[in-house]
Amino acid sequence: MAKRILVVDDSPIELKLTARILDQAGYEVVTATNGARALALARETQPDLVLLDLNMPQMDGYEVCRRLKEDEATRAVPVVLYSVRDQIVDVLRGLEVGAEDFIVKGTRRDELLARVHRILRMSSQREREIPPLDLSALDEALTCPEAEPIARLLEDMFHRHVRSCLNVLFGVHPALLLIECARRQAAERARLPVLPEAGAPDATLFDPRRVRHAPTAEVLDAFKAFASELLLVTAKLANTRIYGPREVDEVLRAFKTMLHAFSEHLHAWRSPSAGGAEVHPLQPEPSDSPSLTDAPATFTFLLDAEGRLQNLDENMTKALGYERAELLGTPLASLLPDAEHKALQTLLRDIRTQGKAEGKLLLRRRDGTLLPIALSSHALFDRQGNLVLSQHQAEQLSETSGLTEQVRRLQCECDRLREELQRAHAEYETFLHIISHDLRQPLQIILNAAQLLEEEGGTQLDDSAREYLTAIGRAALRLRDMIGDLVKLAHITPDALRREPTDVGRLLEEIRETVSPLLEERNAWLTLTGPWPIVLADAAHLRLVFLQLIQNALTFNDKPRPLIEIGCAPTADPEHTFYVRDNGIGIEARHWERIFHVFQRVHSEEEFPGRGIGLALCKRIIEAHGGRIWVESTPGVGSTFSFTLPAASRDFSLANSTNLPTGSKALPESLEGRGIRRGPAKSPSREGEAQPSTSTSDRETVRPVVSTSRISGRADTP
């Protein structure tokens, strides 16, 4: 007996096309054009599945789904939300009201039918298993009698590794929703997780009042419950996405990294320091900035010739409320209100021309308040008379110094600008919603109408008419994909990054394992040339940059054996320069700037696949970090893509130099089994095949540690 499917959609064209696809696949189809009719038909016909549109007047798909799940007669019927919306927040909301799955309109016919078949087959037993994750490594903390520092360490490690991964995979807001959902579910199993409605900051996983009186074992059990719920809801979400299994693997990898980091911090806490005192990394760092009167009276800092902070003392970090690593390399102008920029320019000009200067400035602290200071500055010149550094002694001014009224006025201006920024952000979010949702609906109708016209026209359509319909469909599909790319690009902002000291060497070893099947398929060589520094970056976003550049090196390559080299070029602190070099087709100099713009391509899709979004994403990510990216290339020889990232603070690097590897590391067993092995810097090549060039200066200065991956694959290029 054929399975019965209830299709609900207020668009006659889309309803007709979906019903036809299901009918041709052998299903019995019942249709409804609004929510009230759908609820009545569901009780009357008892369908095996409901395919439910979201955008309907009077009663949307969420409300229909909620009512279906509340009704005893229809509760067991699986509901699949079917919409042009593809934002994760929409999917999560659907899962919360009880939907079993979420399918984006425009999905290929065969994929749609495969999803429907799988859902029907699993409807009687649709339990999702939690992906396997061994959390027993946390149990070594049981010997710690203090529960509060363990709770703080778990929160810190979770947000550093797992949440940053979720931010990149799904977006900042969807990651927050996933965590809130997991916290809510975990609170039903344990008493320590804090409920999202409790008003606590979203970075807080545990109720601090209860943790204060709880044993360590209860804290660990509560985190295990939270982690299990998070993996479960992430698996549910991933089940609705094309690359869901890969995304779940990334989350599992982030959890494993977190467990490793937790263990390292725990051992460091227990081990005595070099001076004999106990290191206690679990103590919380003060997050609240001191008041104006509590700020240090004086502090000192150095600026380079461009006015960027090159060094600063501890008093400056206390006075402004920032971490030292956040300030290093930052232009001093970025810490000033707009009205103060002219005064800074005058001060720097006097230093450059006269060798010394005095002045008054207002620095904006992390909490938005302003700190009035008096500066006594002098310059440091080289032998040729060029300004190298300027040293500045700052003294906090009291409220009786005559700047009180100026501080008050500028503070009001800051408040006004902050409100304008909030309004602009709200308008920006509305604009994104229009792009991602409202523009896709008419596009989908165009696609469906073209498909129906082609099917119903039959032999009445001549070759020209069919060619026109094909062109309409191809253009509409491309436009739909471009809309998705724009939304993805818009979500990459500095605020979305979670910057932390990141070991690039360790990150690249993980990337090597990820891309090894692709390298094997292309018979490619990947060489990693260190030593690798510690940078201040969002590890998950940085991973995307390296992956995209590797993908480009393989895609735009006509050699039988593509060669890729990733390295770190010498540069002055406080930034590092990385490069990805290939032996591909190369790029003419006149296109070097254009290829980083959105949807700009040098070659047609027939020559090389793609939409021209990958390098634009890389540029957005690097610039959000405060770096820059560029390319140098020779047609027919290859390209070198370079980008800069801020270095982690010197203090952090020195403190962790024994714990974090900076060069090559032992090859994972999983890669040894694939034929990857280490070797010299120069990869063997076939006769006549160009090798990626490496400048002598780079080699001599860096003194590289080389790690070479060889993948033995097919000799021909696919």
Side-chain angles (χ1 to χ4, degrees):
M1 182 177 178
K3 296 284 187 179
R4 181 180 296 123
I5 298 178
L6 170 60
V7 181
V8 188
D9 201 317
D10 66 323
S11 169
I13 290 179
E14 296 190 51
L15 184 64
K16 183 176 183 180
L17 179 61
T18 305
R20 172 176 295 183
I21 292 173
L22 295 173
D23 180 69
Q24 292 175 348
Y27 294 107
E28 179 185 345
V29 181
V30 182
T31 61
T33 56
N34 58 69
R37 179 60 177 162
L39 293 172
L41 281 175
R43 291 182 61 89
E44 177 184 336
T45 64
Q46 286 296 302
D48 297 289
L49 183 143
V50 177
L51 195 59
L52 179 60
D53 182 34
L54 278 182
N55 297 323
M56 295 187 297
Q58 299 176 348
M59 189 187 305
D60 64 12
Y62 295 124
E63 180 63 17
V64 175
C65 181
R66 185 183 65 79
R67 295 193 186 188
L68 287 171
K69 294 303 179 180
E70 289 178 349
D71 191 336
E72 189 68 32
T74 57
R75 181 176 300 165
V77 178
V79 177
V80 178
L81 298 178
Y82 190 49
S83 172
V84 292
R85 300 183 185 181
D86 65 348
Q87 300 299 293
I88 296 173
V89 62
D90 302 315
V91 181
L92 287 175
R93 185 179 173 190
L95 295 175
E96 285 184 352
V97 296
E100 275 74 16
D101 211 331
F102 193 107
I103 300 177
V104 178
K105 286 185 177 179
T107 301
R108 295 197 318 269
R109 180 189 301 242
D110 56 344
E111 185 179 335
L112 170 64
L113 293 175
R115 294 276 293 275
V116 168
H117 175 72
R118 178 174 59 84
I119 296 164
L120 286 169
R121 181 169 51 85
M122 300 176 61
S123 61
S124 59
Q125 42 182 343
R126 195 163 171 74
E127 292 294 328
R128 294 176 176 86
E129 295 183 358
I130 299 177
L133 175 63
D134 184 8
L135 296 171
S136 60
L138 299 176
D139 293 340
E140 64 178 320
L142 288 172
T143 57
C144 176
E146 302 176 63
E148 286 185 272
I150 294 298
R152 288 194 296 268
L153 179 61
L154 284 171
E155 287 180 344
D156 183 56
M157 293 296 100
F158 170 79
H159 288 289
R160 281 176 179 270
H161 301 286
V162 181
R163 182 167 184 172
S164 62
C165 175
L166 294 173
N167 287 347
V168 172
L169 291 176
F170 306 120
V172 176
H173 184 56
L176 174 61
L177 296 179
L178 283 169
I179 293 170
E180 286 185 351
C181 181
R183 284 161 61 186
R184 190 178 295 110
Q185 294 298 323
E188 297 179 2
R189 299 168 49 187
R191 71 184 187 94
L192 295 185
V194 63
L195 289 170
E197 295 82 6
D202 65 272
T204 304
L205 300 180
F206 304 104
D207 187 331
R209 295 168 300 176
R210 293 178 176 176
V211 167
R212 194 174 299 120
H213 306 290
T216 301
E218 189 173 1
V219 171
L220 298 179
D221 289 342
F223 183 81
K224 290 177 181 178
F226 165 75
S228 299
E229 293 295 340
L230 182 60
L231 283 172
L232 178 57
V233 69
T234 303
K236 288 181 179 180
L237 173 62
N239 191 52
T240 69
R241 294 163 62 85
I242 297 177
Y243 302 108
R246 185 184 304 173
E247 290 168 340
V248 173
D249 288 342
E250 291 293 328
V251 176
L252 287 171
R253 185 193 302 273
F255 263 110
K256 292 175 182 177
T257 304
M258 175 212 148
L259 293 175
H260 178 74
F262 176 84
S263 179
E264 284 188 344
H265 278 71
L266 199 63
H267 291 161
W269 179 36
R270 290 170 173 169
S271 302
S273 65
E278 189 180 57
V279 180
H280 201 315
L282 310 188
Q283 293 294 342
E285 297 178 357
S287 57
D288 295 331
S289 300
S291 65
L292 188 62
T293 56
D294 293 336
T298 62
F299 54 85
T300 303
F301 59 91
L302 295 177
L303 299 180
D304 63 13
E306 284 74 37
R308 295 177 298 190
L309 284 163
Q310 289 296 302
N311 203 353
L312 58 142
D313 60 12
E314 185 179 355
N315 281 347
M316 185 171 182
T317 64
K318 291 179 179 178
L320 299 181
Y322 288 94
E323 294 293 329
R324 186 171 186 271
E326 293 178 283
L327 293 177
L328 284 175
T330 301
L332 185 64
S334 66
L335 300 175
L336 304 178
D338 291 343
E340 292 288 286
H341 286 181
K342 185 175 181 180
L344 175 62
Q345 292 172 2
T346 301
L347 179 73
L348 295 178
R349 183 195 62 203
D350 291 345
I351 293 173
R352 187 182 299 272
T353 57
Q354 302 174 20
K356 61 180 180 179
E358 293 185 354
K360 297 177 181 179
L361 290 176
L362 286 172
L363 297 182
R364 183 185 292 112
R365 301 161 75 229
R366 186 168 197 151
D367 60 5
T369 60
L370 298 174
L371 179 68
I373 60 170
L375 286 176
S376 177
S377 312
H378 68 272
L380 300 175
F381 298 99
D382 61 16
R383 293 181 178 179
Q384 287 74 38
N386 299 315
L387 177 66
V388 178
L389 293 171
S390 57
Q391 183 174 357
H392 305 263
Q393 180 72 30
E395 180 180 357
Q396 176 188 334
L397 295 175
S398 66
E399 295 190 1
T400 59
S401 63
L403 289 178
T404 305
E405 178 59 25
Q406 187 180 5
V407 171
R408 186 196 64 77
R409 179 166 38 83
L410 289 175
Q411 189 64 58
C412 292
E413 179 67 10
C414 285
D415 293 339
R416 184 186 66 80
L417 292 174
R418 190 179 296 111
E419 291 177 1
E420 288 186 3
L421 182 61
Q422 290 173 349
R423 285 196 297 270
H425 182 71
E427 293 175 358
Y428 179 71
E429 290 294 328
T430 302
F431 177 68
L432 282 183
H433 180 85
I434 292 173
I435 290 178
S436 62
H437 295 167
D438 300 347
L439 290 185
R440 284 178 174 173
Q441 185 70 27
L443 257 183
Q444 192 59 45
I445 293 176
I446 291 173
L447 281 167
N448 292 343
Q451 185 174 342
L452 284 173
L453 182 59
E454 184 177 10
E455 291 179 356
E456 294 181 354
T459 57
Q460 299 178 18
L461 297 176
D462 58 20
D463 292 342
S464 294
R466 292 186 179 279
E467 183 179 344
Y468 297 152
L469 285 175
T470 300
I472 291 172
R474 185 183 299 115
L477 284 173
R478 180 173 177 80
L479 182 56
R480 187 184 65 187
D481 292 339
M482 291 171 72
I483 289 173
D485 291 336
L486 283 175
V487 173
K488 185 189 304 181
L489 192 69
H491 284 154
I492 300 175
T493 63
D495 291 339
L497 302 179
R498 185 176 178 86
R499 296 177 180 84
E500 60 184 359
T502 301
D503 177 16
V504 179
R506 181 178 295 176
L507 179 67
L508 286 171
E509 291 289 358
E510 295 174 358
I511 292 174
R512 179 210 300 279
E513 185 172 3
T514 300
V515 302
S516 58
L518 184 60
L519 296 173
E520 183 176 1
E521 180 182 348
R522 290 298 314 276
N523 190 36
W525 283 77
L526 172 61
T527 303
L528 304 181
T529 305
W532 302 110
I534 308 296
V535 298
L536 194 65
D538 185 310
H541 276 91
L542 180 56
R543 177 185 176 88
L544 290 180
V545 171
F546 278 119
L547 286 172
Q548 181 63 52
L549 294 179
I550 292 172
Q551 176 69 52
N552 277 12
L554 294 173
T555 300
F556 298 96
N557 200 310
D558 55 359
K559 306 297 190 301
R561 176 173 293 175
L563 304 175
I564 306 171
E565 179 186 356
I566 303 178
C568 181
T571 187
D573 285 338
E575 66 179 14
H576 293 287
T577 301
F578 300 92
Y579 63 87
V580 178
R581 181 175 294 135
D582 64 59
N583 64 335
I585 61 174
I587 308 163
E588 294 182 14
R590 59 193 177 96
H591 298 308
W592 288 0
E593 196 72 32
R594 185 165 69 90
I595 59 174
F596 291 102
H597 296 169
V598 182
F599 304 137
Q600 296 296 311
R601 292 173 51 84
V602 178
H603 307 279
S604 66
E605 282 196 70
E606 288 71 21
E607 293 177 285
F608 297 98
R611 292 189 297 275
I613 190 68
L615 289 177
L617 284 170
C618 291
K619 178 178 170 62
R620 180 66 64 91
I621 291 172
I622 295 303
E623 290 183 349
H625 281 87
R628 56 194 179 90
I629 185 170
W630 68 95
V631 65
E632 296 172 331
S633 182
T634 302
V637 177
S639 304
T640 300
F641 286 87
S642 305
F643 61 89
T644 62
L645 287 175
S649 69
R650 188 179 305 275
D651 292 342
F652 178 92
S653 300
L654 291 175
N656 292 272
S657 60
T658 57
N659 297 327
L660 297 175
T662 56
S664 60
K665 54 186 281 192
L667 203 64
E669 294 180 2
S670 59
L671 296 187
E672 293 283 7
R674 294 177 183 168
I676 305 176
R677 63 179 188 232
R678 299 197 182 282
K682 183 178 180 180
S683 304
S685 61
R686 299 176 181 177
E687 285 187 33
E689 186 172 310
Q691 293 286 332
S693 60
T694 304
S695 67
T696 305
S697 61
D698 286 355
R699 292 293 184 185
E700 292 177 349
T701 307
V702 179
R703 298 175 59 196
V705 176
V706 178
S707 151
T708 304
S709 294
R710 179 185 180 187
I711 313 289
S712 299
R714 297 192 303 271
D716 57 303
T717 304

